[in-house]
Amino acid sequence: MLRIIAGEWRGRKLKAPPGDTTRPTADRTRETLFNWLGQDLSGWRCVDAFAGTGVLGLEAASRGAAHVLMVEQDAVLVRDLQDNATRLKASMVSVQRGDAVSTLGRLPAGSVDLVFIDPPFDGPWFEPALKAAIRAVPLGGWIYLEAPVAWPTEALTALGLQCERHLKAGAVHAHLLQRVSLESAPTPIAIPAEGDTP
C-alpha cells in the first residue's frame, strides 16, 4: 500500500500501478528524508523530476510546499499522478509529461528549493539530472538523490555539491545533497560504479 505518511494528507492512500514498474521510496526512507529536511516545507518550491508514483512530491506538498512540479515520461503514470493530485485537491501540484532532465534545464536558474531525483537505476540519468538540478537550485538549495551506489565525495565536490546525509536501505542509496558552490567542474566527472563508497 502506498500512502502519505505525514502532513495535511497523512494516511491518504495513493493510486499506483501494479507490479514492479515503479520503485516508490519506502515509508521509512521518506520519513528519514523529511526528518533531515525539518518536516515543515512551508513555502518551498519543489520538483519531483522522475515522479513515478509521485510519492515524494506529494509528501512534500502534504508538508506545506507552495508548489510541486511532478515530471514523468510514462503516459500511464502521468494519468495516475493527475488522478492522485485531483483526489487530494492538491492545487499546488502541477503534473507534466516529459523528459526530466530537459524540464529541469528549462527552469529559471535558482528557482527551486528542492529537487527529487529518483530515476530508473538502469539508465544514464544520474549525471545529467544532477547537473540540471544544480542549475535549478540556488546556493544552499537541496537535491535528494536515490541511486544504486553511494556517490563519492570527490564526484559530488566536482559538481559543487556536499552530501549532508546518506543512508542505505536495501539496494538503494539515499543522499541529501546541498549546493555549496556556484562553480562546477567543466569536464566529465567520475561516475561511481557498483560497490563504490563515498
Side-chain angles (χ1 to χ4, degrees):
M1 181 183 71
L2 197 58
R3 63 186 178 89
I4 302 293
I5 58 175
E8 179 183 355
W9 305 317
R10 180 179 179 179
R12 293 287 297 273
K13 296 178 183 179
L14 300 177
K15 184 177 181 180
D20 58 358
T21 56
T22 59
R23 181 182 33 78
T25 302
D27 284 10
R28 287 191 66 181
T29 303
R30 268 186 287 139
E31 184 175 11
T32 300
L33 166 62
F34 286 97
N35 283 337
W36 290 344
L37 291 167
Q39 297 289 345
D40 183 4
L41 270 59
S42 294
W44 286 41
R45 300 153 299 169
C46 306
V47 178
D48 194 349
F50 297 83
T53 62
V55 70
L56 287 171
L58 290 170
E59 192 77 53
S62 182
R63 296 166 188 259
H67 184 254
V68 179
L69 172 61
M70 297 200 290
V71 185
E72 174 54 50
Q73 190 84 271
D74 184 277
V76 173
L77 292 175
V78 168
R79 184 192 63 208
D80 288 348
L81 289 169
Q82 292 169 333
D83 287 349
N84 282 327
T86 298
R87 286 191 302 107
L88 294 170
K89 297 183 172 65
S91 60
M92 75 294 289
V93 171
S94 300
V95 178
Q96 180 176 321
R97 185 181 181 191
D99 177 77
V101 175
S102 297
T103 301
L104 284 171
R106 290 193 297 269
L107 294 175
S111 63
V112 177
D113 300 294
L114 170 64
V115 177
F116 299 105
I117 300 176
D118 182 14
F121 280 1
D122 58 354
W125 310 108
F126 296 98
E127 183 182 358
L130 277 174
K131 287 184 173 179
I134 289 162
R135 181 182 173 279
V137 300
L139 195 64
W142 298 98
I143 299 170
Y144 172 71
L145 171 69
E146 286 193 14
V149 296
W151 275 63
T153 299
E154 295 77 10
L156 294 171
T157 300
L159 289 168
L161 294 170
Q162 180 171 300
C163 186
E164 294 293 337
R165 296 286 190 274
H166 170 265
L167 68 82
K168 185 177 187 298
V172 174
H173 287 264
H175 312 71
L176 181 61
L177 310 174
Q178 187 170 38
R179 186 179 182 188
V180 294
S181 172
L182 293 174
E183 301 297 328
S184 60
T187 55
I189 63 172
I191 304 299
E194 191 73 43
D196 281 354
T197 56

